[in-house]
Amino acid sequence: MEGSAANEEESGLVRILNVEHDAEDVDLTHAKIEKLESFERLTCVKSLCLRRNKITKIEGLSTLTTLEELDLYDNQITQIEGLDNNTNLTSLDLSFNLIKTIENLGCLVKVTKLFLVSNKISKIEGLQNLPQLEMLELGANKIRVLEGFEHLTQLHSLFVGKNKITKLENLSCLTNLKLLSIQSNRIVKLEGLNSLMNLEELYISHNGIEEIEGLDNLTNLKTLDLASNRIKRIKNISHLVNLEEFWFNDNQLDSWEDLDQFKNCTKLQTIYLERNPIWRDTAYRRKVKLAVPTVTQIDATLCG
C-alpha cells in the first residue's frame, strides 16, 4: 500500500515537473497532486488550474507573482492561506473544499471573481479589502445572515443560494448589483431591495414568500424568478416594464385576472405558471397567450 501511495504522489509531482517553465496557462486537473510543490519554476504562469486533486493546504505558490487566475475547485483545503504574494490574482476559485472561514484575502485587491461554493462557511466576512470584486459565489454553505458587503461597491453578481438565510437585509450598499440569486433559503418576505435600482435579475425561488412586494424601485428587472414559493396573487409588478422572463411555477395562483399585471410588460417573452391552480384549466395555454400576447414561451414549451 505504501508503494502505491508513493507512486500516486510521484505521478502528481511528475506532472508538475513536466510543465514548461515559461507556460502561461497550466492545467493540472485530476493529476493526483497532494502537495503544492515545485511550482517556483513557473515564472510566467497566468492561469493555474488544479481542480479535482487531493490538495489539503494552499502553499508553495508565493513565487507565482504573475498569477491572475487560480482554480483549486474540488480539493480538501480547510483554510484560506498562503496567497499574500499573489497580488495580481483577479479570479480565485476555492469551491467544493472544506473551508469554514473567509480569511487572509487582504492582499488580493485586484480580485474581481471569488468562488466559494459548497464549503462549510457560516459567516460572510473578510471581504473588506476586495474593492474590485464583481462576482461573489457563496452557494451551498451554512450562511444564516446576509452581511459583510459594506465595501463591495463594484459587486454586480451575488450568489447565495442553498444556505440558511432567513431575511433580505444589509444589501443597500450594493448599488451596482445586477444579479442576485438567493434560491433555496428560508426567506418569507420580499424586503430590503430598495437600493438595488440597477438589478436586472432576481432569483428567489424555493423560499417561503407569501406576497409580491418591495419591488418598487427595481424597474430595470429583466428576469424575476419567484417559483416554488407560497404566493397566491400576482401583484405589485405592473411597473416592471423591462421584464423579459417571469418564473412563477409551483405557487398558489388561482385568479386569471392577475395576469392583467403584465399589460405594461411589452418585453415579456417567457412566463412559467405551471403547477398553479390555473394550470389545471383546459384552456390554460390559450388564456395565458391572450392575457400576455408578447410571450413566445409558456412554461417549457415555445408558443406555436
Side-chain angles (χ1 to χ4, degrees):
M1 292 295 289
E2 288 183 8
S4 175
N7 288 338
E8 284 198 15
E9 186 174 342
E10 182 184 15
S11 68
L13 182 56
V14 168
R15 286 280 300 273
I16 296 169
L17 294 173
N18 282 338
V19 175
E20 296 291 334
H21 73 90
D22 58 351
E24 292 189 359
D25 299 306
V26 177
D27 188 345
L28 290 166
T29 299
H30 204 224
K32 300 178 181 178
I33 297 169
E34 296 184 5
K35 183 179 175 63
L36 293 176
E37 58 185 339
S38 301
F39 281 94
E40 61 275 0
R41 49 190 294 280
L42 302 180
T43 55
C44 304
V45 63
K46 291 184 177 181
S47 175
L48 176 58
C49 182
L50 292 158
R51 287 188 167 213
R52 297 179 61 206
N53 282 288
K54 301 176 182 179
I55 300 160
T56 58
K57 183 180 176 67
I58 304 174
E59 60 186 341
L61 303 178
S62 60
T63 60
L64 307 185
T65 55
T66 58
L67 195 60
E68 296 176 3
E69 298 180 9
L70 176 59
D71 190 342
L72 286 160
Y73 179 107
D74 193 10
N75 279 280
Q76 298 166 20
I77 296 163
T78 58
Q79 186 174 3
I80 303 174
E81 60 185 332
L83 298 173
D84 289 356
N85 287 357
N86 307 111
T87 54
N88 282 310
L89 272 180
T90 59
S91 178
L92 176 61
D93 193 340
L94 295 169
S95 299
F96 289 87
N97 278 283
L98 305 170
I99 297 164
K100 293 184 178 180
T101 305
I102 304 173
E103 60 185 342
N104 300 322
L105 296 173
C107 295
L108 306 183
V109 295
K110 293 183 180 180
V111 166
T112 60
K113 297 178 181 179
L114 178 60
F115 304 91
L116 291 163
V117 186
S118 197
N119 277 280
K120 298 178 180 296
I121 297 164
S122 58
K123 183 179 176 65
I124 302 174
E125 60 186 339
L127 303 173
Q128 62 272 15
N129 292 316
L130 305 180
Q132 296 188 44
L133 196 64
E134 297 176 358
M135 178 182 290
L136 177 59
E137 170 65 275
L138 291 166
N141 277 285
K142 299 180 177 181
I143 297 164
R144 294 181 180 274
V145 179
L146 289 173
E147 59 186 335
F149 304 125
E150 293 79 14
H151 302 281
L152 305 185
T153 55
Q154 299 304 310
L155 198 69
H156 65 62
S157 299
L158 174 60
F159 300 86
V160 285
K162 292 187 179 179
N163 277 284
K164 300 178 180 180
I165 299 164
T166 57
K167 186 176 182 179
L168 289 168
E169 59 185 337
N170 301 319
L171 299 170
S172 59
C173 54
L174 303 180
T175 53
N176 285 307
L177 201 67
K178 291 187 175 182
L179 185 155
L180 173 59
S181 178
I182 192 163
Q183 301 162 307
S184 300
N185 277 280
R186 301 173 181 178
I187 294 163
V188 296
K189 184 178 175 65
L190 280 173
E191 59 185 339
L193 303 173
N194 288 338
S195 298
L196 308 185
M197 289 181 282
N198 289 308
L199 200 66
E200 296 180 359
E201 300 175 60
L202 175 58
Y203 302 93
I204 196 163
S205 63
H206 296 277
N207 278 280
I209 296 166
E210 297 184 352
E211 188 171 342
I212 302 177
E213 58 187 332
L215 306 178
D216 296 2
N217 293 346
L218 306 190
T219 54
N220 286 308
L221 267 188
K222 295 180 179 179
T223 300
L224 177 56
D225 180 3
L226 291 163
S228 299
N229 278 284
R230 302 170 184 171
I231 306 169
K232 295 181 179 179
R233 304 296 304 267
I234 296 177
K235 59 181 182 178
N236 300 322
I237 62 169
S238 60
H239 63 291
L240 302 180
V241 296
N242 290 303
L243 207 59
E244 297 174 2
E245 296 197 18
F246 182 71
W247 296 58
F248 198 73
N249 51 281
D250 299 283
N251 276 285
Q252 300 171 15
L253 179 66
D254 59 7
S255 173
W256 281 105
E257 67 185 44
D258 285 12
L259 298 190
D260 290 344
Q261 284 281 308
F262 298 110
K263 281 186 176 178
N264 298 324
C265 302
T266 57
K267 299 178 182 179
L268 191 64
Q269 297 180 0
T270 301
I271 189 166
Y272 274 75
L273 297 168
E274 59 188 346
R275 292 182 297 279
N276 278 277
I278 64 167
W279 179 60
R280 302 189 191 101
D281 192 314
T282 54
Y284 163 72
R285 289 184 63 84
R286 183 174 63 84
K287 287 185 176 181
V288 173
K289 184 64 176 175
L290 285 171
V292 197
T294 59
V295 296
T296 56
Q297 180 179 331
I298 299 172
D299 302 327
T301 308
L302 294 175
C303 298

